[in-house]
Amino acid sequence: MKYFDKRLFWFIKTHLLYRWFFNEFHITSYMGTPLFLKRCSNIKIKKKVRIFVGSRIELIGDQAKLIINENTSIGHNMHLICGGEIIIGKNTTISSN
């Protein structure tokens, strides 16, 4: 599958399946197939966020919150565990592995 085809597939899959579990998931953002998601209802994903395949995002406890701001790219196999509040700023790149 070509790279563009994969991104289009991820975009469609994100907005048909994943976005309904999140507190906020902007229409211009997409997510590759994650390994594991926990407490998505406390996650906000803003405009133009790209999360690639293999992410593991866990929010531990009722007070945990994750906000990923605009134009952020997160590479393959990102592992994030949050027990408090994490805000990832605008125009951020988090590389893979």
Side-chain angles (χ1 to χ4, degrees):
M1 197 182 262
K2 294 180 184 175
Y3 182 68
F4 178 75
D5 295 340
K6 286 183 184 180
R7 288 190 312 176
L8 181 60
F9 173 73
W10 294 340
F11 179 83
I12 292 168
K13 189 174 179 181
T14 296
H15 291 285
L16 288 178
L17 295 176
Y18 304 135
R19 77 179 290 208
W20 308 109
F21 298 102
F22 288 79
N23 183 326
E24 179 182 335
F25 205 113
H26 197 272
I27 190 70
T28 59
S29 298
Y30 63 85
M31 170 185 269
T33 306
L35 285 177
F36 185 76
L37 297 171
K38 183 176 180 181
R39 279 210 189 167
C40 297
S41 61
N42 291 347
I43 300 173
K44 292 183 180 182
I45 296 181
K46 306 291 185 173
K47 294 182 201 173
K48 293 177 68 181
V49 173
R50 288 126 11 238
I51 302 174
F52 290 90
V53 177
S55 61
R56 180 181 177 118
I57 303 172
E58 298 179 57
L59 275 65
I60 309 296
D62 294 332
Q63 302 302 316
K65 291 182 183 175
L66 173 63
I67 299 170
I68 304 175
N69 281 310
E70 300 170 7
N71 198 29
T72 296
S73 178
I74 298 175
H76 301 280
N77 303 322
M78 185 262 311
H79 189 163
L80 176 70
I81 299 176
C82 174
E85 183 174 347
I86 294 178
I87 299 172
I88 298 174
K90 293 181 181 179
N91 304 315
T92 302
T93 299
I94 300 172
S95 70
S96 60
N97 293 332

